Amino acid sequence: MDSFIYSINATVPIFLVMIVGWVIKQLGVIDEHFVSKANKYVFHVALPVLLFQQISSADMTSQFDIRFVLYCMLATTAFFVIIWVVTELLMKDDTQKGSFVQCACRSSAAILGMAFIQNMYSSTGMAPLMIVSAVPLFNIYSVIILTLKAHPEVKTGSAVKKEPHSAVIKRAFINVLKNPIIIGIVLGLPFSLLHVQFPVIINKTLTSIAQTATPIALIVIGAGFEGRKAIKKIKPTVIATFIKLIGIAAVCLPIAVAMGYRNQELVAILIMVASPTTVSCYIMSENMDNDGVLASSIIVLTTLLSSITLTGWIYLLRSMGLI
């Protein structure tokens, strides 16, 4: 029951803030111009600062475990590749593929991960190590997929000349290097490894900016949610939600258990593979000419259902004496 209550407390407020975004958009408090500018602010400023702060303040050296790092990296790579290949084979609408793959794979590890584990164990445990291992790859693979599957003609409404493959690959590489979220993560690593402590003034400034990332992103998702369009995309939304909350975890967790991971390590892996789709999926889809409607639909549904599925996973792992 405690796990269920915590899951509800962790996920339902996120869903409610999205609803607030939708309501104030309908009331005219905010408009499309605000949504567009807020999207850019979250993508270029707030999320990079949030991840920089989380990575730079994490103590990774004291609990460094190369097996755990490699597991997180290899698992992340494997499910991104497998889901992408299967999507290419089975999904007909090419405009949906980028958002579908990204949202089916990317967890809210950085936003929910540390808080969730700290609530259960009173310390973050292996969460910082999981975030450093998986979150950079989440972003790198997402940038590659979204670049290769970008459809600017859908946004502009006019035909766009198709680029040669070499140009697309080059653009994907450049986008990885220029991605603000990836830059924030990379810049945070040396500060974490060297245990650099920021002065109080700088730390409070970073915290103030970082704290705006999630609420503004959620309001933007809610404001940008288009119910009629979303209903037309209910099938890929449900499939991606199942993959995100149940499918990947059903494969990765037994492997983690077989490798001997228990308690905080196993919960960190659970957050990596089974927490709801991160809000930055919508921000990146919108900013990289992919299907923002599908992304927002998947975020809304995974957030709504994750309080049930996460509680179910925790109950199962506890009943088996693994956490």
Side-chain angles (χ1 to χ4, degrees), residues 18 38 42 47 212-222 279-280 282-283:
M18 292 183 202
V42 173
L47 277 175
T212 66
T214 301
I216 293 180
L218 293 173
I219 287 172
V220 166
I221 291 169
V279 296
S280 59
Y282 173 78
I283 304 299

Side-chain angles (χ1 to χ4, degrees), residues 14 21 30 45-47 97 101 104 138 145 155 179 205 214 224-225 228 236-237 260 318:
I14 293 174
I30 60 176
V45 181
L47 277 175
K97 290 178 181 178
V101 174
F138 282 164
I145 291 168
K155 295 282 180 71
N179 184 269
T205 302
T214 301
F225 185 74
R228 292 179 181 177
T237 298
R318 274 186 170 168

Side-chain angles (χ1 to χ4, degrees), residues 242-258:
F242 175 82
I243 293 170
K244 182 74 221 60
L245 299 180
I246 298 174
I248 296 173
V251 175
C252 292
L253 288 177
I255 297 173
V257 170

Side-chain angles (χ1 to χ4, degrees), residues 15-26:
F15 182 72
L16 292 178
V17 176
M18 292 183 202
I19 293 177
V20 169
W22 183 84
V23 170
I24 61 177
K25 170 81 179 303
Q26 302 306 308

Side-chain angles (χ1 to χ4, degrees), residues 43-120:
F43 182 66
H44 290 283
V45 181
L47 277 175
V49 170
L50 171 66
L51 287 166
F52 170 81
Q53 188 187 46
Q54 288 187 330
I55 298 298
S56 64
S57 61
D59 181 13
M60 293 177 289
T61 54
S62 63
Q63 300 189 51
F64 189 78
D65 181 344
I66 189 62
R67 284 180 73 247
F68 184 80
V69 170
L70 288 175
Y71 173 83
C72 292
M73 294 178 73
L74 290 173
T76 300
T77 301
F79 59 69
F80 256 98
V81 170
I82 292 169
I83 292 171
W84 191 0
V85 170
V86 173
T87 301
E88 289 286 3
L89 294 173
L90 300 181
M91 182 173 275
K92 295 179 181 179
D93 189 344
D94 198 63
T95 64
Q96 296 181 354
K97 290 178 181 178
S99 289
F100 178 88
V101 174
Q102 180 197 202
C103 292
C105 294
R106 286 181 72 183
S107 293
S108 187
I111 295 173
L112 287 182
M114 288 196 194
F116 205 96
I117 296 171
Q118 195 164 21
N119 180 76
M120 294 180 66

Side-chain angles (χ1 to χ4, degrees), residues 287-319:
N287 281 274
M288 298 184 69
D289 297 320
N290 278 257
D291 194 334
V293 173
L294 178 60
S296 65
S297 300
I298 295 170
I299 292 167
V300 169
L301 191 58
T302 56
T303 301
L304 184 61
L305 297 180
S306 63
S307 58
I308 298 171
T309 56
L310 272 176
T311 304
W313 283 118
I314 291 169
Y315 174 80
L316 179 63
L317 294 174
R318 274 186 170 168
S319 65

